[in-house]
Amino acid sequence: VPRRARRSASCGAARATGGGVLKHDPIARSATRLSDKFGHETKPLAQWADLEAYVLLAEPGGGKSEAFKREAASASYILARDFVNAGPPEGWSGEALFIDGFDQMRADSASRNTPLDQIVQKLDAVGRPRFRICCREADWLSSDQSALRAVSRGDVGVLHLDPLTDEEVLLLLRRRGDRVPDAQAFVERAARQS
């Protein structure tokens, strides 16, 4: 199945399973780092934990928030708007901050730069901890990476959440047989529509 059809099936799987792709059935996701300095490298999202900071990008409905929440299980997860308004979550003890919903904050702002400036200021104010930010690809600007470098103790990786493989889509749909009785037909229909 071509990448575009796979993305369509992945997004369809999200709708068919009643929410985010991973909401009911977590699958270890992979992410690809595209970099002039480091080249293209793909590995499981959990294996990017050694980066001081990263931004996780994906298309709407691609499962980025669910994958992000899964990675934040042993850290601190917070919505971008809450982080800007109130700082780190209650009980935060300096571990990596997983800041989700940056794209939604940017979409609601009159200036595309203001939300990022607010996050940078707050990260600086709380001591420049390790951080991860989740954002839709369309809302990420190439200049954002350099702004985040100012508050990172290392490089800021830009990761692209890889679409689910055909096998992962089928596995998710088969696990939800009550909502999708014929997973293979669903995937084929999604591929034809893309």
Side-chain angles (χ1 to χ4, degrees):
V1 176
R3 183 179 174 109
R4 181 179 167 158
R6 190 169 37 240
R7 183 175 297 133
S8 176
S10 295
C11 295
R15 286 187 296 278
T17 58
V21 172
L22 304 175
K23 190 168 194 162
H24 302 289
D25 298 298
I27 289 179
R29 300 292 300 271
S30 63
T32 300
R33 182 178 189 173
L34 305 176
S35 165
D36 293 335
K37 183 177 179 182
F38 299 103
H40 297 3
E41 183 179 5
T42 299
K43 56 186 179 181
L45 185 55
Q47 290 182 16
W48 291 108
D50 60 325
L51 291 174
E52 282 295 314
Y54 69 70
V55 177
L56 180 64
L57 303 175
E59 298 293 331
K64 64 188 167 304
S65 288
E66 293 301 322
F68 204 59
K69 287 176 189 174
R70 182 176 179 186
E71 293 306 309
S74 61
S76 290
Y77 172 90
I78 190 167
L79 292 174
R81 188 173 315 285
D82 295 338
F83 177 65
V84 165
N85 291 329
E90 189 173 320
W92 177 67
S93 59
E95 68 274 6
L97 288 171
F98 283 73
I99 304 167
D100 194 5
F102 170 67
D103 49 333
Q104 294 158 354
M105 222 179 125
R106 182 169 260 172
D108 292 341
S109 176
S111 166
R112 290 185 57 84
N113 292 326
T114 300
L116 183 64
D117 293 343
Q118 292 172 321
I119 288 173
V120 166
Q121 289 170 0
K122 189 61 78 170
L123 285 167
D124 191 39
V126 299
R128 299 180 179 202
R130 298 178 78 212
F131 64 88
R132 286 82 174 89
I133 295 176
C134 190
C135 182
R136 291 181 182 145
E137 289 197 48
D139 293 308
W140 181 250
L141 305 175
S142 58
S143 60
D144 292 343
Q145 187 176 14
S146 60
L148 289 172
R149 281 189 187 117
V151 290
S152 174
R153 298 172 193 253
D155 191 33
V156 178
V158 177
L159 309 178
H160 298 266
L161 186 65
D162 296 326
L164 294 170
T165 65
D166 295 341
E167 295 78 21
E168 290 167 338
V169 170
L170 286 171
L171 175 66
L172 282 174
L173 293 172
R174 287 182 179 132
R175 286 182 184 168
R176 298 295 299 178
D178 58 320
R179 290 185 143 191
V180 184
D182 188 346
Q184 186 66 45
F186 178 88
V187 170
E188 290 170 5
R189 214 172 27 253
R192 283 193 304 270
Q193 292 177 355
S194 62

